[in-house]
Amino acid sequence: MLNRFSAVAVAALAWHCLAFAQTATPSHHQTFQNQPLQNQTLQNQTLQNQTLQNIYGRTHQNLDGRWHYIVDPYETGYYDYRRKPYDESEKGTGGYYDDRQPKDKGDIVEYSFDGSPTLAIPGDWNSQDAKLEFYEGTVWMRQKFTAAPKEGKRYFLYFGAVNYEAHVYLNGRKLGSHKGGFTPFQFEVTGKLAAGSNTVVVKADNKRHQDEIPTVSTDWWNYGGITRDVLLAEVPDTYIADYKVQLAKGDARRIEGYVQLDGSRKEQEITVAIPEANLSARVRTDANGRAALRIPVGKLRYWSPEDPKLYGVTIAAGSDRVADRIGFRTIETRGKDILLNGRSTFWRGVSIHDENPLIPGRLRGAGDMRMLLQWAKDMNCNYVRLAHYPHSEEMIRLADEMGLMVWAEVPVYWTISWQNPDTLRNARQQLTELVVRDKNRASVVVWSIGNETPVSEPRNAFMFTLADTVRALDDTRLVGAALEVHRNGKEVTVEDPLAEKLDLASFNEYAGWYWASNKDMLDFHFNIPYDKPVMITEFGADALGGFHGDADTRWSEEYQDQLYKNQFRMLEAIPGLRGITPWVLVDFRSPRRPHPYFQDFWNRKGLISQTGKRKQAFHTLKAYYDKKQQQYQQYQ
Ligand code: GCU
C-alpha cells in the first residue's frame, strides 16, 4: 500500500539499499531505587534487569516477519469499560492478548488478529499504513511461532526496541512491560514456552507525555511500534550473561573488564581467548558468578577510523561459549586535545537520525544503516553523532567495522520534568541500557547525556546525576552533552555549570540560520572559557534540494553552502576546536516542519536531500574534511 511517503521513495530505493535482514529487556522495574549513586556500577546491575550481552552471538530464533496488528486508540483491548487493566484483574484475562477466537456462532469476540492486516516487523507503523502516518497511541501486534524448548536450557524473549511503552504477553500470560523507545529489553520465558505453537502479543503505545524521556516536544517523527529485531534466545542453564572486554582507562597495555555468569553453577573456571593476539586468560568466577579480568597485552593493532581492526574474542564457561568481534583503543582528553590511542585527533563528523529518507521510517536493517554510514564516509567523515537517542546495536557494530567513531546519546532532549523522580529514574534506566548494550564497542567514544537542556537548578541537579551515573557505569569513554550558547553582543559563549562535569566543551550553535544570517554572521566570534576540547555538536541551515538562489536566499542550496563556508571561518578561530557534527547528514521527517513548499514535514538541514541527492554543501564539507585530515596527518 503506497502512501504519500513511499511514492517518491521507491524509485530511489532500488539503487541505494542492499537490505539484508538480520534479524532484543529488563522488564522495566527500576534498579536504582534506594541505591546510593556511587555503587551504580555495571557490577551492581541485577542480572534480571539486564539484557544478554551480544544477543546476536547467541543461539536464537528470529521472530521478525509479518505480524498481525490491531489499532486501538481507546485501549479497549487493555482496559475494561471501568478503565481497569484486564491483565490486573483476578482472572487476568479479557484483553486482546487472549487472542480469542469465537467458540461458536453465539460467541461475541470484537477483535480478530487473524482477520487483521499485517505489519513488517521490525518496522514502525507510521510508514507502513497511511492511516497511521501521524498516529500516536496503542497498536497491538501478534506473532505466532513454533518452539521446541529443551531440558537444561533457558530462554529469553528479546526486543531490540519498542517505541515507547510496551506490554508483552506470551500465550495469553503477561511477561512484563518496558518504557523507552530505543533500548533493548528481555523477559525470561523458560518454562513458559509451549512445545509447538506459541503466541506473542505486544501492546505498543507511542503517545508522548511531559514526564517521559523524551518529553512531549521533539524535532523528529515519533515512529511507533516494534522498530528492531525480536529474538528468542536459548542459553544453557548456567550461561555467560554479561562481559566487558576493553582496554583499561588510558592504558593501552592492559585489558580490564569482567565476565558475569548466571545460573546454578556460578562458580567455575572460564577462559577468555583472543587467538589472533596470542592472548588467552583463565579466571575463576566467584559465588556471584563474577570474575574480574586484568589481562596484560603486548602490542595490539589498535582500533581507529584509519584501521578499524576488530579481534575475534571468545569467552567459554562450562557448556556456554560466546564469540564477539571487539576493537581495542584508548580515548582520552588532554587539555584541548582529544587523544585516540595517544594521538591528537580531529573529529570530522556529521549528525544522523535513525531514519531511512528513501522509504521514510526507522532504519530497517543493516542495508539501510550501511547506506547512511557510507554517505558519511563519502564525505570523508571519521565520526558520527547518532542523534538524539540510542540507535540500533547493528548500527554501532557497523560503525565498529566501517571505522567511524560514535557519539551515542539518550533522548534527554529540551525541557524535561527535572523535578520528577520517575523521570530521572527513566533517564538513568535508558542510559544504563545503552551503556550495558554497547560497552564493548570500540567505535563508541562518547556517552552523551542530553541535548539543549535549559540551565536551571533542578536541571543542573538532574544532569549532574546523569553524568555521575554514566561515569560510574563506564570510566573508559568521554562524557558529553549538546549544550547551548549565549550571545553577549557579538560574542558567542557557553556559560553552563554542566560543562564542568563533561569532558568536552560541546554545544549547538545556529549562527547564520536561527540567529544572524550569511550577511552578518562573521561579525560574531566564539569565546569558549573551558580548557577542554571544543566540539560543535550542531550547526546548519535548511535547503530544499534543487531549490536555487543567491547566498542570501533562505532555503536555497546556495544559502546553505555559503553558511557552511562562513561557519568554517568562525570555527577555525576557536583554539580548542577538535571536532564538528553539522546538522545533519540527510533531510529527516519532523512534525514541527509544516511549510507546504519548503518543508512538507521534513527538516531540510540535510546535506543530502530526501531523495538521496547531495546538496552543494555536501561537497563543501568534504573539501573542508580533506584539508582537516591533511592537517592532522602529522599526528598519525
Ligand atoms: C536543534 C535540535 C535538533 C533540531 C535542530 C533544528 O538544535 O537539537 O534536534 O532538529 O535544532 O532546528 O533543525
Side-chain angles (χ1 to χ4, degrees):
M1 196 279 321
L2 284 185
N3 59 29
R4 156 165 91 81
F5 267 136
S6 41
V8 178
V10 174
L13 175 64
W15 186 69
H16 276 288
C17 290
L18 304 161
F20 46 92
Q22 289 179 338
T23 45
T25 3
S27 40
H28 193 36
H29 39 63
Q30 303 302 335
T31 55
F32 292 110
Q33 252 147 359
N34 323 325
Q35 278 196 18
L37 193 57
Q38 60 277 9
N39 68 356
Q40 271 138 34
T41 63
L42 284 170
Q43 184 145 6
N44 298 303
Q45 281 297 300
T46 46
L47 284 177
Q48 86 271 0
N49 284 337
Q50 199 167 308
T51 48
L52 279 164
Q53 182 64 202
N54 181 13
I55 188 78
Y56 293 102
R58 312 297 178 138
T59 304
H60 64 265
Q61 188 179 340
N62 190 313
L63 303 184
D64 295 349
R66 309 273 336 160
W67 291 43
H68 287 273
Y69 69 103
I70 299 173
V71 181
D72 184 12
Y74 282 42
E75 298 179 274
T76 315
Y78 185 75
Y79 295 106
D80 66 18
Y81 80 115
R82 293 279 179 243
R83 208 72 192 158
K84 294 224 174 1
Y86 286 114
D87 64 21
E88 289 171 17
S89 66
E90 211 170 303
K91 282 193 300 167
T93 59
Y96 289 176
Y97 49 83
D98 293 347
D99 190 17
R100 214 160 74 75
Q101 312 298 326
K103 282 195 289 301
D104 53 44
K105 64 182 179 187
D107 188 8
I108 306 176
V109 179
E110 296 187 281
Y111 67 91
S112 161
F113 280 108
D114 291 341
S116 299
T118 60
L119 284 173
I121 300 294
D124 60 271
W125 58 64
N126 312 74
S127 60
Q128 296 190 60
D129 179 339
K131 293 195 305 299
L132 301 180
E133 184 179 357
F134 287 86
Y135 181 70
E136 296 180 295
T138 282
V139 173
W140 294 85
M141 289 158 279
R142 182 210 72 182
Q143 175 72 306
K144 286 184 173 290
F145 64 96
T146 305
K150 307 184 196 75
E151 267 317 297
K153 296 290 185 184
R154 293 174 67 176
Y155 295 88
F156 293 90
L157 187 57
Y158 178 100
F159 293 85
V162 177
N163 193 43
Y164 176 75
E165 180 168 338
H167 292 256
V168 180
Y169 307 82
L170 178 67
N171 301 331
R173 314 293 311 163
K174 179 98 179 238
L175 294 176
S177 63
H178 179 268
K179 273 188 184 176
F182 306 101
T183 45
F185 58 98
Q186 68 183 33
F187 302 104
E188 175 150 17
V189 291
T190 312
K192 296 177 180 165
L193 284 170
S197 176
N198 291 267
T199 301
V200 54
V201 172
V202 176
K203 171 189 187 294
D205 184 345
N206 70 334
K207 267 198 296 303
R208 289 166 291 121
H209 301 281
Q210 171 54 40
D211 294 347
E212 299 299 330
I213 302 279
T215 183
V216 282
S217 184
T218 74
D219 190 29
W220 65 79
W221 208 265
N222 183 23
Y223 292 111
I226 304 174
T227 54
R228 296 179 189 156
D229 292 332
V230 184
L231 308 172
L232 178 66
E234 175 190 284
V235 292
D237 166 59
T238 299
Y239 64 98
I240 299 161
D242 189 21
Y243 56 86
K244 181 175 183 180
V245 183
Q246 287 277 281
L247 290 176
K249 181 176 174 58
D251 183 347
R253 290 300 173 99
R254 187 162 48 89
I255 284 177
E256 201 170 77
Y258 63 83
V259 175
Q260 176 70 58
L261 302 183
D262 184 28
S264 52
R265 292 188 48 241
K266 284 209 171 59
E267 280 186 76
Q268 52 179 297
E269 184 159 277
I270 59 173
T271 59
V272 177
I274 312 178
E276 208 187 333
N278 298 323
L279 278 177
S280 172
R282 280 178 194 285
V283 284
R284 205 171 167 76
T285 47
D286 62 20
N288 299 321
R290 194 162 190 101
L293 293 179
R294 277 185 194 73
I295 309 171
V297 296
K299 187 115 189 54
L300 280 179
R301 248 174 79 198
Y302 297 109
W303 184 96
S304 70
E306 294 72 28
D307 180 22
K309 172 62 185 168
L310 299 175
Y311 283 88
V313 177
T314 55
I315 299 167
S319 58
D320 198 15
R321 184 180 173 285
V322 184
D324 204 343
R325 299 178 68 224
I326 297 180
F328 298 98
R329 53 98 192 93
T330 60
I331 190 77
E332 56 201 311
T333 64
R334 193 172 297 152
K336 295 188 185 312
D337 287 333
I338 307 177
L339 308 180
L340 174 68
N341 301 323
R343 297 204 181 101
S344 179
T345 51
F346 186 90
W347 293 7
R348 309 185 310 268
V350 73
S351 298
I352 301 181
H353 263 297
D354 176 346
E355 183 184 75
N356 179 340
L358 308 179
I359 318 175
R362 289 286 176 223
L363 297 172
R364 295 170 184 79
D368 289 5
M369 298 165 197
R370 193 179 286 279
M371 173 182 76
L372 294 189
L373 294 181
Q374 190 52 50
W375 285 351
K377 288 199 67 114
D378 295 349
M379 223 161 31
N380 198 4
C381 289
N382 61 2
Y383 164 58
V384 289
R385 176 186 178 203
L386 300 182
H388 291 291
Y389 37 76
H391 289 217
S392 73
E393 178 173 347
E394 282 171 287
M395 188 74 160
I396 308 294
R397 284 183 178 273
L398 267 176
D400 262 12
E401 189 196 305
M402 295 170 74
L404 285 162
M405 294 181 282
V406 168
W407 164 295
E409 186 162 292
V410 284
V412 175
Y413 180 96
W414 289 348
T415 310
I416 302 285
S417 301
W418 309 114
Q419 288 162 311
N420 179 330
D422 289 335
T423 306
L424 178 58
R425 252 193 297 279
N426 184 340
R428 289 163 87 183
Q429 176 89 24
Q430 295 190 34
L431 187 55
T432 304
E433 290 171 351
L434 169 64
V435 176
V436 164
R437 187 194 73 184
D438 295 343
K439 60 183 177 291
N440 288 306
R441 306 279 73 80
S443 57
V444 179
V445 286
V446 184
W447 302 119
S448 167
I449 56 175
N451 180 75
E452 294 187 349
T453 53
V455 176
S456 72
E457 273 320 306
R459 171 265 191 183
N460 299 348
F462 189 109
M463 298 306 283
F464 288 8
T465 305
L466 289 188
D468 296 340
T469 299
V470 73
R471 286 200 195 282
L473 289 166
D474 173 37
D475 66 353
T476 65
R477 291 175 174 84
L478 308 183
V479 176
L483 305 177
E484 295 186 293
V485 293
H486 307 278
R487 271 172 285 127
N488 308 329
K490 297 295 181 194
E491 184 175 83
V492 184
T493 187
V494 175
E495 292 148 14
D496 188 335
L498 179 58
E500 303 300 343
K501 298 280 278 184
L502 307 176
D503 296 302
L504 304 166
S506 41
F507 56 91
N508 299 349
E509 51 85 5
Y510 277 91
W513 188 253
Y514 289 128
W515 51 274
S517 70
N518 273 334
K519 275 208 171 55
D520 60 357
M521 62 190 284
L522 295 174
D523 303 344
F524 292 83
H525 65 279
F526 288 99
N527 169 16
I528 312 303
Y530 301 102
D531 183 27
K532 297 176 191 242
V534 171
M535 188 65 61
I536 312 298
T537 34
E538 287 180 38
F539 72 81
D542 285 70
L544 176 61
F547 177 69
H548 294 286
D550 62 23
D552 298 320
T553 303
R554 297 261 176 176
W555 308 106
S556 70
E557 290 197 31
E558 287 73 14
Y559 190 106
Q560 184 189 50
D561 189 45
Q562 185 58 48
L563 180 137
Y564 270 68
K565 291 173 180 152
N566 291 342
Q567 280 280 352
F568 300 154
R569 288 176 58 188
M570 292 175 84
L571 300 179
E572 282 295 312
I574 303 175
L577 183 73
R578 291 295 180 278
I580 61 175
T581 44
W583 192 259
V584 62
L585 174 68
V586 61
D587 293 357
F588 63 94
R589 309 234 53 225
S590 169
R592 295 168 54 83
R593 312 291 172 171
H595 187 289
Y597 182 77
F598 288 120
Q599 297 176 317
D600 185 23
F601 291 109
W602 289 83
N603 182 309
R604 299 286 186 195
K605 293 191 180 67
L607 290 152
I608 296 172
S609 76
Q610 78 179 86
T611 58
K613 282 215 173 47
R614 296 168 179 189
K615 303 176 189 176
Q616 289 177 16
F618 176 102
H619 306 287
T620 298
L621 182 59
K622 180 176 182 324
Y624 174 71
Y625 282 166
D626 293 347
K627 242 184 9 209
K628 272 292 173 206
Q629 185 179 28
Q630 279 298 319
Q631 187 187 340
Y632 275 75
Q633 208 65 41
Q634 58 182 301
Y635 299 113
Q636 295 315 311

